[in-house]
């Protein structure tokens, strides 16, 4: 009888084990839901008739942003333009993409196209690239905008896709703004310094084309303040990676609206911010450059490395002097030794070395301006007529702005390089250097 | 009574199992097993690499195949076919020529089963760059595909040298070369990159990279021999002024030739000639430096 009881209990347990009442939280399996989600993302990105416009700042702490037009197709292909350069602006490139699941639904540009230029290790610093990415996790969708996070930079940079309107379908205007800025900041035919005037504040502006970085220097309470911002180019403005607050301006500026005339010259128009503004090329910088003049006094002697085109004929005549080796600028060494400073023509014939001296009385101004007065030659009368036109340029009454000294370390020592820019005509420039 | 209980238990047990006998509809599988839609390029790769040699070509980005610490980018799609056509012409075709390589299954057995193509160079932290890597005799990663130019002799030679170098690793991983090779010039160093090729030559290494270790020394010997005609290789070795260095390289050459002959029944000099002919047929032009 006891066996019978046990059997009843065991069978009861077995029957309970067979009793299945499944209730699932979701109405489809995980795989089905993943596949459905991925399909929906493909549909989403391939839906807009005009594709997407994206401005991507790969690393806003170091670089500016690049603008892309992307048209995704459901077959896994994507057509792209970018304002990287003239070619990428006007030539569409077709490549492949995929939407897959890793830790999150992810968009991967799986064959090379323009967006890879920002992560190509051959660009920028060798091996580093421009810190860009080409794998992005879908983060959120707001209206007609999709936000995707960089995978390799762990979400520190965001690719923002905005559904493109018909007027967005060309990047020519973006490239025009970029070209105008490059022309203004690097043309050898324009005055060297660029001054951005916002309201009553003058700001010295320079532009690093490779990094798409704008460097702004201004005076605040007597101190020179330097700020840099990555920039991107829109149809009618330079967009800053983050707004910049300038002195005597109540609100941070998020962008610099520009108009470009037929000759490609940009004009700043800040009326939308209720401000007056201008962007001009000038012979004299908006702020004093002070450190360079202190540094060249410490270095005491430097050698002419190169001159600008406007000085090249004069310099070439000097280089024709027999056994010419170098043209040397003495800033402090002779004075320390009780004689006047000099510009020297150094020649070497075999073991015979000669320095032909032309005495210069330098004025190292507190405002960072170097002025020279020619006092005559000590032993260089033979070549004075050759060097005199060059010395006249160096000793112009307005003097030279001494740019900050750049130092580079090599196994043989440190190379110091400085550029002198004439305040009479800033197209007259020369680079001096010394290895110490 | 006892018999009745046992009978009852058996009936109940049978009923229990019967109740468990459910045929559930599990639905269709979510694993995609159908053949993916192939593009023209994919079809060409399938017909030219997968079918004849069982070699998979991966050109679409997959970081899981690569070093995630490195900055790398995928190749340009337009570069894949020109690049691999040259691989076929100057690497696969000579090894498939049974008048030189009698074992018709040689390449099918030993070729890497997966080529991973990467668009950029692979930059190392010591300032050098890696052009290719071979892993476990099964996979070869080829870098710098985007810079390839089939009309440029130096670019083709660079690619061919990378292929031959990595394949040489696969060959010696399959069967090791004679140990004597390792003791001809045993002064291998991790600082090989600080020495020029001519300095390495005078020390008995065919390239500076050959100094990095015996396996790379062997692979560099093979790849140098198979990217030059015999006349070019002899001219290179004969120009080495250091007699000891020259002698060491000739010893290594003899071991390499013996290894190919004894292990794979290949006359390396015939193979060398066949590859040189394939190179000439490409009608490449030297670059600005004459390379």
């Amino acid at each position: 009888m006891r066996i019978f009881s046990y059997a009843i209990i065991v069978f009861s347990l077995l029957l309970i084990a067979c009793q299945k009442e499944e209730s699932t939280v979701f109405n489809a399996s995980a795989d089905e839901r993943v596949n459905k989600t991925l399909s929906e993302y493909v549909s989403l990105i391939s839906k807009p008739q005009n594709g997407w416009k994206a401005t991507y700042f790969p690393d806003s702490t170091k670089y500016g942003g690049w603008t892309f037009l992307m048209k995704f197709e459901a077959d896994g292909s994507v057509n792209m333009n970018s304002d990287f350069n003239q070619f990428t602006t006007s030539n569409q490139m077709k490549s492949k993409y995929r939407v897959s699941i890793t830790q999150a639904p992810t968009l991967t540009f799986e064959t090379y196209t323009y967006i890879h230029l920002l992560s190509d290790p051959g660009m920028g610093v060798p091996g580093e690239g421009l810190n860009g990415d080409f794998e992005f996790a879908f983060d959120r969708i707001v209206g007609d905008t999709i936000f995707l996070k960089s995978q390799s930079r762990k979400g520190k940079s965001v690719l923002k896709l905005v559904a493109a309107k018909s007027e967005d379908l060309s990047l020519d205007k973006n490239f025009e703004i970029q070209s105008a800025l490059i022309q203004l900041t690097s043309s050898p035919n324009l005055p060297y310094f660029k001054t951005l005037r916002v309201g009553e504040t003058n700001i010295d502006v320079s532009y690093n084309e490779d990094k798409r970085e704008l460097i702004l220097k201004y005076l605040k309470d007597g101190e020179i303040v330097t700020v840099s911002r990555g920039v991107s180019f829109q149809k009618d403005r330079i967009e800053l990676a983050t707004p910049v607050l300038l002195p005597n301006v109540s609100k941070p500026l998020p962008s610099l609206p520009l108009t470009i005339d037929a000759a490609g010259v940009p004009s700043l128009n800040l009326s939308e911010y209720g401000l007056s503004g201008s962007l001009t090329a000038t012979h004299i910088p908006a702020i004093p450059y002070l450190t360079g003049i202190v540094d060249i006094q410490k270095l005491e002697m430097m050698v002419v490395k190169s001159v600008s085109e406007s000085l090249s004929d004069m310099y070439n005549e000097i280089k024709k002097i027999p056994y010419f080796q170098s043209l040397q600028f003495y800033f402090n060494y002779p004075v320390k030794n009780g004689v006047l400073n000099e510009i020297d023509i150094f020649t070497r014939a075999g073991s015979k070395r000669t320095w032909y001296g032309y005495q210069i009385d330098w004025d190292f101004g507190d405002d960072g301006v170097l002025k020279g007065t020619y006092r005559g030659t000590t032993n260089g009368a033979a070549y004075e007529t050759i060097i005199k036109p060059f010395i006249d340029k160096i000793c112009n009454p307005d003097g030279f702005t001494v740019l900050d000294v750049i130092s580079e370390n090599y196994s043989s020592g440190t190379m110091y390089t400085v550029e002198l820019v004439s305040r009479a005509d800033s197209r007259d420039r020369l680079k001096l250097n010394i290895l110490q | 009574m006892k018999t009745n209980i046992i009978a009852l238990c058996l009936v109940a047990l049978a009923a229990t199992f019967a109740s468990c006998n459910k045929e559930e509809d599990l639905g269709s599988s979510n694993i995609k097993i159908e053949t993916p839609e192939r593009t023209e390029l994919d079809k060409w790769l399938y017909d030219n690499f997968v079918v004849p040699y069982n070699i998979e070509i991966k050109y679409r980005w997959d970081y899981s195949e690569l070093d995630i610490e490195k900055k790398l980018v995928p190749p340009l799609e337009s570069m894949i076919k020109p690049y691999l056509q040259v691989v076929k012409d100057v690497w696969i075709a000579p090894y498939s020529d049974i008048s030189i390589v009698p074992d018709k299954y040689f390449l099918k057995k030993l070729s890497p089963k997966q080529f991973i193509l990467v668009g950029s160079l692979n930059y190392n932290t010591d300032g050098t760059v890696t052009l290719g890597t071979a892993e476990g005799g099964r996979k070869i990663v080829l870098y710098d595909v985007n810079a390839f130019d089939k009309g440029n002799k130096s670019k083709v030679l660079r690619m061919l040298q990378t292929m031959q170098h990595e394949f040489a690793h696969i060959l010696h991983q399959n069967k090791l070369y004679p140990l004597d090779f390792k003791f001809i010039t045993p002064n291998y160093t991790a600082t090989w990159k600080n020495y020029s090729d001519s300095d390495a030559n005078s020390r008995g290494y065919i390239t500076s990279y050959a100094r990095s270790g015996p396996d790379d020394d062997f692979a560099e010997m093979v790849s140098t021999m198979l990217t030059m005609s015999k006349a070019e290789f002899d001219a290179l070795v004969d120009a080495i002024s250091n007699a000891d260095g020259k002698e060491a390289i000739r010893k290594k050459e003899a071991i390499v030739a013996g290894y190919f002959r004894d292990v794979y029944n290949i006359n390396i000099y015939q193979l060398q000639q066949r590859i040189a002919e394939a190179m000439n047929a490409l009608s490449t032009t030297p670059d600005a430096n004459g390379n």
Side-chain angles (χ1 to χ4, degrees), chain B residues 202-259:
Chain B
S202 68
R203 294 166 189 263
Y205 304 93
I206 197 67
T207 64
S208 58
Y209 185 39
R211 268 192 97 185
S212 64
D215 289 353
D216 280 315
D217 192 1
F218 178 81
E220 281 293 278
M221 276 300 298
V222 172
S223 63
T224 305
M225 289 174 74
L226 295 182
T227 45
M228 289 180 168
S229 65
K230 184 161 191 330
E232 287 170 331
F233 183 80
D234 285 343
L236 172 73
V237 179
D238 291 343
I240 298 169
S241 54
N242 185 300
D244 291 342
K246 193 187 297 187
E247 188 188 342
I249 289 176
R250 288 296 184 196
K251 278 184 187 168
K252 290 178 187 178
E253 180 191 351
I255 291 181
V256 168
Y259 171 83

Side-chain angles (χ1 to χ4, degrees), chain A residues 7 11, chain B residues 2-18:
Chain A
F11 296 148
Chain B
K2 196 169 185 177
T3 309
N4 288 342
I5 290 170
I6 291 170
L8 188 60
C9 287
L10 286 173
V11 170
L13 189 62
T16 304
F17 283 123

Side-chain angles (χ1 to χ4, degrees), chain A residues 4 18 20 93 96 98 110, chain B residues 8 20 24 61 76-77:
Chain A
F4 185 72
C18 287
K20 285 176 72 177
M93 189 173 195
K96 289 191 167 66
R98 71 168 178 268
E110 58 177 9
Chain B
L8 188 60
C20 287
E24 285 189 72
W61 186 250
L76 277 161
E77 208 174 328

Side-chain angles (χ1 to χ4, degrees), chain A residues 80-299:
Chain A
M80 201 178 291
N81 283 92
S82 168
D83 67 351
F84 210 88
N85 55 38
Q86 178 77 67
F87 183 86
T88 61
T89 298
S90 47
N91 290 280
Q92 201 172 61
M93 189 173 195
K94 188 175 183 179
S95 68
K96 289 191 167 66
Y97 78 92
R98 71 168 178 268
V99 175
S100 58
I101 191 93
T102 48
Q103 290 177 332
T106 300
L107 171 65
T108 301
F109 295 93
E110 58 177 9
T111 57
Y112 200 90
T113 184
Y114 296 141
I115 200 165
H116 296 92
L117 289 166
L118 301 178
S119 40
D120 193 321
M123 304 291 290
V125 179
E128 290 297 319
L130 297 168
N131 268 358
D133 199 0
F134 51 90
E135 291 194 282
F136 301 91
F138 286 91
D139 184 35
R140 64 189 197 279
I141 302 165
V142 179
D144 63 354
T145 303
I146 306 173
F147 294 85
L148 301 105
K149 286 182 173 178
S150 155
Q151 290 288 75
S152 68
R153 300 204 64 241
K154 298 181 173 53
K156 285 181 187 164
S157 66
V158 172
L159 177 69
K160 193 170 100 177
L161 301 180
V162 182
K165 301 180 181 70
S166 55
E167 60 265 32
D168 293 328
L169 291 179
S170 166
L171 294 174
D172 289 347
K173 291 280 181 193
N174 305 49
F175 191 70
E176 238 177 58
I177 295 277
Q178 181 189 168
S179 301
L181 180 65
I182 292 169
Q183 168 74 9
L184 179 73
T185 52
S186 62
S187 169
N189 299 319
L190 288 173
Y192 183 82
F193 297 100
K194 278 74 202 178
T195 299
L196 173 69
R197 188 170 171 80
V198 180
E200 297 304 310
T201 305
N202 287 328
I203 299 143
D204 180 73
V205 179
S206 55
Y207 176 61
N208 183 325
E209 187 183 342
D210 295 334
K211 297 169 77 175
R212 290 201 169 182
E213 182 186 44
L214 212 55
I215 299 116
L216 309 173
K217 293 181 180 178
Y218 55 84
L219 279 176
K220 188 178 181 187
D221 303 327
E223 297 287 322
I224 296 169
V225 178
T226 303
V227 293
S228 59
R229 287 287 186 281
V231 298
S232 67
F233 299 99
Q234 303 303 324
K235 279 186 292 189
D236 60 350
R237 66 194 56 226
I238 298 169
E239 198 89 39
L240 305 174
T242 52
V244 62
L245 182 60
L246 298 170
N248 307 317
V249 178
S250 58
K251 285 184 181 174
L253 294 181
S255 65
L256 302 174
L258 293 177
T259 52
I260 313 292
D261 70 13
V265 178
S267 312
L268 186 68
N269 182 356
L270 297 176
S271 56
E272 67 185 78
Y273 302 122
L275 294 166
S276 62
S278 63
L279 180 59
T280 50
T282 55
H283 292 302
I284 296 171
I287 49 117
Y289 282 66
L290 299 172
T291 54
I293 203 161
V294 176
D295 288 343
I296 62 168
Q297 272 186 289
K298 285 182 192 163
L299 292 167

Side-chain angles (χ1 to χ4, degrees), chain B residues 109-113 134-140 169-171 173:
Chain B
K109 280 189 295 190
L110 292 170
S111 71
K113 293 301 164 222
E135 290 176 22
R138 291 285 127 196
K139 168 172 140 183
I140 280 187
H169 279 309
I170 289 174
L171 294 182
Q173 285 163 8

Side-chain angles (χ1 to χ4, degrees), chain B residues 145-218:
Chain B
V145 172
N146 290 349
F148 184 71
D149 174 2
K150 73 170 186 176
N152 182 314
K153 189 176 179 185
S154 67
K155 300 254 182 193
V156 175
L157 281 174
R158 188 158 129 155
M159 179 277 284
L160 179 60
Q161 177 132 20
T162 304
M163 283 297 308
Q164 299 289 13
H165 178 103
E166 301 308 335
F167 189 51
H169 279 309
I170 289 174
L171 294 182
H172 76 65
Q173 285 163 8
N174 181 58
K175 179 143 189 187
L176 188 60
Y177 47 82
L179 281 176
D180 294 353
F181 187 93
K182 297 187 179 191
F183 301 105
I184 297 173
T185 51
N187 295 322
Y188 296 104
T189 172
T191 60
W192 58 270
K193 64 182 180 298
N194 295 336
Y195 302 89
S196 65
D197 281 347
S198 61
D199 185 276
N201 290 161
S202 68
R203 294 166 189 263
Y205 304 93
I206 197 67
T207 64
S208 58
Y209 185 39
R211 268 192 97 185
S212 64
D215 289 353
D216 280 315
D217 192 1
F218 178 81

